[in-house]
Amino acid sequence: MSKTGRTALITGASAGIGAAFARHLAAEGHNLVLVARREDRLTALADELSSQHGVRCDVVPADLADRSAPRAIFEKTTSLGVDVDILVNNAGMSGNSTFADAPFDAHAAEIQVMITAVTELAHLTVPGMKERGYGRIVNLSSLAALLPPGASLLYTGIKSYVLDMSQALDMELRPHGIHVTALCPGFTHSEFHDVMGTRDAATSKLPALLWQSPEDVVREGWRAVNNGTPVCVPGMVNKVTAAAAKPIPTRIGYYLGKTLNPFKL
């Protein structure tokens, strides 16, 4: 059914940036494996996209806070006869209380969803990408990873890991035809702020020019990974903010890291 012959696995696909990635890639003719907790939303989106674009859309309901979820997702794609050529690690979450006040289970869930699952899904899908000589991996980091850390929440440190890990993987995998990009959006209109309980405060206090639509974020991120750009900060305001906050441009830092690879010294 796919016009491109390639399949994208997207986590957190039921809304926001994940759903926007699904719509964008389906419009290009890619088959999809949609992953999120809300099966009803996934099914509705899959029906919509398969009808509109004639692509295959498989639904895999899963909670990535469950330690067993990444392997279960991969085994499901294998049982469906699907090769994952494109991986979009989009699923995310964040606490809305201070570090000390939140139960550790809440912190562990954040780490599982946005660090462990991201890393494990990449580790599971990369061997097949290497065999086929093609792969695209987009890991959702954040503009926060390029700014000074904030108090209390683990979010900045987690997204900094995703940023650094993505660049390291891109250095290793590029010779095999695999591009890896850390997508670092700023404020994006999605359900994320609803879940955190900060939508009213965020939208009322921040000027409109700081906000982007999920569709704009996806267009820039997808273009970046295809162009081999390891770090993508979408939106001019976000680019200026990131540049002002970092003494060394991310691209220069990336090539310094590549040159000083300890495994080649």
Side-chain angles (χ1 to χ4, degrees):
M1 297 172 66
S2 168
K3 299 174 185 177
T4 65
R6 305 198 189 281
T7 298
L9 189 158
I10 305 170
T11 68
S14 61
I17 292 173
F21 258 112
R23 291 190 168 95
H24 188 93
L25 294 177
E28 289 192 355
H30 299 290
N31 292 332
L32 303 174
V33 177
L34 305 178
V35 178
R37 292 177 297 171
R38 296 173 287 190
E39 185 174 5
D40 57 338
R41 287 200 177 192
L42 291 180
T43 300
L45 181 59
D47 291 345
E48 170 197 332
L49 297 180
S50 59
S51 175
Q52 286 184 356
H53 304 293
V55 296
R56 173 178 174 177
C57 294
D58 290 297
V59 167
V60 182
D63 184 355
L64 287 170
D66 181 344
R67 181 67 185 85
S68 65
R71 179 160 292 278
I73 292 165
F74 180 72
E75 289 176 351
K76 180 64 174 178
T77 63
T78 301
S79 71
L80 293 168
V82 172
D83 292 326
V84 177
D85 306 293
I86 301 160
L87 173 63
V88 180
N89 274 313
N90 166 74
M93 62 186 298
S94 180
N96 54 10
S97 63
T98 63
F99 176 83
D101 290 339
F104 185 75
D105 285 351
H107 298 313
E110 284 188 61
I111 294 167
Q112 172 61 37
V113 171
M114 294 189 290
I115 291 182
T116 306
V118 167
T119 308
E120 187 172 3
L121 282 171
H123 190 260
L124 289 166
T125 55
V126 159
M129 293 178 181
K130 289 177 69 174
E131 288 178 7
R132 294 185 295 276
Y134 176 91
R136 298 290 183 267
I137 300 176
V138 178
N139 293 323
L140 261 291
S141 181
S142 171
L143 179 63
L146 299 163
L147 303 178
S152 299
L153 298 181
L154 298 179
Y155 189 81
T156 301
I158 287 171
K159 291 304 187 180
S160 295
Y161 168 82
V162 174
L163 173 66
D164 291 346
M165 180 271 279
S166 299
Q167 293 178 87
L169 286 185
D170 188 71
M171 294 174 195
E172 176 184 341
L173 299 174
R174 185 179 293 263
H176 302 281
I178 303 169
H179 297 174
V180 184
T181 293
L183 178 54
C184 303
F187 293 104
T188 306
H189 290 295
S190 71
E191 294 182 1
F192 184 77
H193 294 285
D194 293 328
V195 174
M196 290 181 66
T198 58
R199 174 175 289 280
D200 291 341
T203 55
S204 64
K205 294 180 180 179
L206 297 173
L209 63 86
L210 294 181
W211 291 86
Q212 281 189 292
S213 70
E215 292 75 17
D216 288 339
V217 170
V218 167
R219 276 192 293 271
E220 289 199 52
W222 183 236
R223 182 168 60 246
V225 74
N226 282 306
N227 289 342
T229 304
V231 179
C232 173
V233 181
M236 185 53 63
V237 171
N238 294 330
K239 288 179 172 62
V240 170
T241 302
K246 286 288 185 179
I248 300 177
T250 56
R251 183 170 289 275
I252 294 176
Y254 172 84
Y255 284 109
L256 285 174
K258 189 173 182 179
T259 303
L260 298 176
N261 183 345
F263 295 104
K264 295 183 178 179
L265 297 178

